[in-house]
Amino acid sequence: MEDARKLLEDYVSSGKVIQLATLDPTGAPVVCNLWFASAFGPDRIWFMSRPNREHCANLRADPRVAGAILAIELEGIEQDVRGVTFVGTGKELPTVGIDEQIAGYAGRWPEAADAIAPEALAAEATPHRLYEITVEKWVLFDELYYPEQPKQPVRVSR
């Protein structure tokens, strides 16, 4: 049997887009799709966005989030599903002092480097900001390696 934590890290690292759920002012869930980068130990997810987007405004009002990352290329309904879900808290990062987070995101998505360059962020010369999700709960879903019980809770690394 495969190690669930290793599978989770592999699936998150190879994933490209998260489906992120935030809560609107009425408490209703709102889902969006975002390119992301990640780091482990502590477990974090970063995304870049514009502060005026609905999910960013929602995070400022209520930091609770949930999300999903699909770890397979979709071919057909018969294939084994593999992916990850998470629960955590999100926040907009400051515009200075976030070199590690910028490097993590820009290292994954080099074409985004100019939009979140430290100088541009510090001067507020870019409409983008970097956001961080602190993961509080992971669930691996893997029908290939865990066919009898695909849902596998996985410990969070802090």
Side-chain angles (χ1 to χ4, degrees):
M1 178 154 312
E2 293 292 315
D3 175 73
R5 176 68 194 196
K6 181 177 179 340
L7 285 172
L8 181 133
E9 288 186 16
D10 289 348
Y11 293 173
V12 171
S13 296
S14 65
K16 294 181 174 78
V17 172
I18 58 172
Q19 293 185 304
L20 183 69
T22 59
L23 298 172
D24 77 8
T26 70
V30 177
V31 178
C32 65
N33 299 295
L34 298 158
W35 297 95
F36 77 97
S38 58
F40 302 102
D43 295 347
R44 297 165 290 163
I45 297 171
W46 300 299
F47 66 89
M48 181 181 84
S49 194
R50 295 174 184 251
N52 63 347
R53 298 242 166 111
E54 182 178 24
H55 55 275
C56 299
N58 290 346
L59 282 179
R60 286 190 295 276
D62 188 333
R64 295 177 295 168
V65 298
I69 301 166
L70 188 61
I72 59 172
E73 294 296 325
L74 299 175
E75 296 169 8
I77 198 163
E78 72 285 345
Q79 74 189 107
D80 293 328
V81 174
R82 289 177 285 151
V84 172
T85 60
F86 62 87
V87 174
T89 55
K91 66 180 178 183
E92 182 178 321
L93 293 174
T95 56
V96 296
I98 58 168
D99 292 345
E100 174 195 1
Q101 294 91 335
I102 291 170
Y105 192 86
R108 177 82 192 277
W109 306 111
E111 60 278 6
D114 289 344
I116 55 170
E119 313 79 39
L121 282 172
E124 297 190 16
T126 176
H128 297 94
R129 296 294 179 267
L130 202 57
Y131 295 79
E132 181 174 272
I133 298 167
T134 300
V135 178
E136 297 167 0
K137 178 182 175 183
W138 290 116
V139 176
L140 173 73
F141 188 90
D142 194 316
E143 292 180 319
L144 178 65
Y145 292 109
Y146 297 95
E148 298 303 314
Q149 182 48 269
K151 269 180 105 168
Q152 297 288 315
V154 176
R155 67 175 166 69
V156 171
S157 178
R158 298 193 191 278

